[in-house]
Amino acid sequence: VALPPLPSGARLVLGESRPKVPGSSSSAVAGESHDTMMWSKLREYVALHERDDAGACGVGGEVWPAASALCEWLGNHSAEVCGSRILELGSGTGACGMYAAALGAASVLLTDGGPVELISLARANILRNRHLFRAGSSVKARRLRWEEHSPLPRDADLIIASDVWYRHADGAANAALARTLRELLDQPPKPRAIVAHEHRSREAPFDATLPRWDADDELLEAFAAAAREHGLRLEGLWSRRPRCHVRGSFRSWDADVSIVEVVR
């Protein structure tokens, strides 16, 4: 998934942790048609998912569409981001937090409860992109598991996250995240919490018109219920329904995403 360019035209360079299928390659071959290349990518994708192997970093080791959407939102609110103290929850590769750092954030703390390999990946990405950050800014990564009631970072102006409530069957994870957000939002200076969410569980056709931004999404509703139990509510800021793209014999759609503010 590609992130939007920065206002300067520069782009973040991100390492990801994707397991490879032995003997496969998604690189383009000279003279290869678009259809041939796409069939090759599809075979590799299916082979990876049949192995059910997310690699040492887990699913957090890849950049997902919601992260790209959140970076777009940050870019459209660069005046709010510039000079702010940013806390990213479930940071994975660190894409969104580092995008904020490149927009001029004074400090960024990337946090994730995933394996130590994932934190190492985020730290490596910080080194790859530090030339894009504001002079004198602080960009760090540390482990934070919401379920462990660990001491929470303080003094954030803006809390960001993407793809953090996609496990609707895991009620404990939803409750732990809601509790964490409530505690963070209760801290001075009363930060905002902005979350990008991909609507993976919708059954409505991509081209259907929905009555509300949060309609027909059991994953979102499961977290919204946990949020209500902790005195929080979700407010939709903007949504983008999938758009169809046709190239050769293939038809593809953008992700179905929303930007949500969690309000105390």
Side-chain angles (χ1 to χ4, degrees):
V1 174
L3 300 181
L6 293 160
S8 65
R11 290 183 179 272
L12 294 178
V13 177
L14 296 173
E16 298 182 71
S17 175
R18 293 190 184 118
K20 299 296 183 183
V21 176
S24 68
S25 174
S26 58
S27 301
V29 176
E32 183 179 51
S33 71
H34 178 265
D35 283 7
T36 300
M37 181 183 68
M38 289 302 297
W39 278 118
S40 176
K41 288 184 175 182
L42 284 171
R43 283 192 292 269
E44 182 175 350
Y45 177 85
V46 171
L48 283 174
H49 283 262
E50 285 179 343
R51 289 172 58 194
D52 194 23
D53 177 12
C57 293
V59 295
E62 296 186 43
V63 178
W64 297 90
S68 181
L70 181 54
C71 289
E72 183 178 345
W73 185 91
L74 292 168
N76 290 334
H77 296 78
S78 57
E80 180 178 352
V81 174
C82 187
S84 295
R85 296 163 294 185
I86 308 294
L87 169 63
E88 184 173 8
L89 302 177
S91 57
T93 64
C96 298
M98 284 185 291
Y99 198 90
L103 291 172
S107 66
V108 175
L109 180 58
L110 311 174
T111 67
D112 202 291
V116 293
E117 291 87 351
L118 187 56
I119 304 303
S120 297
L121 176 64
R123 288 171 176 159
N125 282 332
I126 291 172
L127 294 177
R128 287 187 181 97
N129 294 280
R130 58 185 174 182
H131 63 286
L132 297 172
F133 304 157
R134 171 179 172 167
S137 64
S138 170
V139 183
K140 300 178 180 178
R142 57 163 277 199
R143 199 158 188 259
L144 177 66
R145 290 184 60 83
W146 311 321
E147 299 90 343
E148 294 177 354
H149 295 264
S150 303
L152 296 174
R154 303 186 65 82
D155 302 323
D157 300 303
L158 182 63
I159 302 161
I160 60 174
S162 64
D163 262 343
V164 288
W165 51 57
Y166 60 89
R167 297 179 296 174
H168 70 286
D170 193 344
N174 281 337
L177 176 56
R179 175 189 56 78
T180 298
L181 284 168
R182 183 199 65 209
E183 292 180 11
L184 288 169
L185 289 171
D186 281 343
Q187 293 180 2
K190 300 295 182 182
R192 296 182 73 187
I194 307 295
V195 180
H197 172 70
E198 181 177 354
H199 300 277
R200 291 185 174 89
S201 63
R202 277 182 169 156
E203 297 183 359
F206 286 157
D207 57 355
T209 300
L210 299 175
R212 288 175 46 86
W213 70 272
D214 55 354
D216 189 32
D217 188 335
E218 62 177 344
L219 302 179
L220 181 62
E221 176 51 37
F223 179 76
R228 289 191 292 270
E229 291 180 0
H230 288 80
L232 306 174
R233 69 181 189 277
L234 308 184
E235 294 185 355
L237 300 183
W238 67 256
S239 294
R240 178 184 295 146
R241 293 285 285 146
R243 297 168 295 185
C244 182
H245 304 273
V246 178
R247 186 174 177 185
S249 302
F250 286 86
R251 179 176 296 179
S252 61
W253 286 264
D254 297 328
D256 189 0
V257 293
S258 291
I259 300 294
V260 183
E261 182 163 7
V262 182
V263 181
R264 180 75 164 107

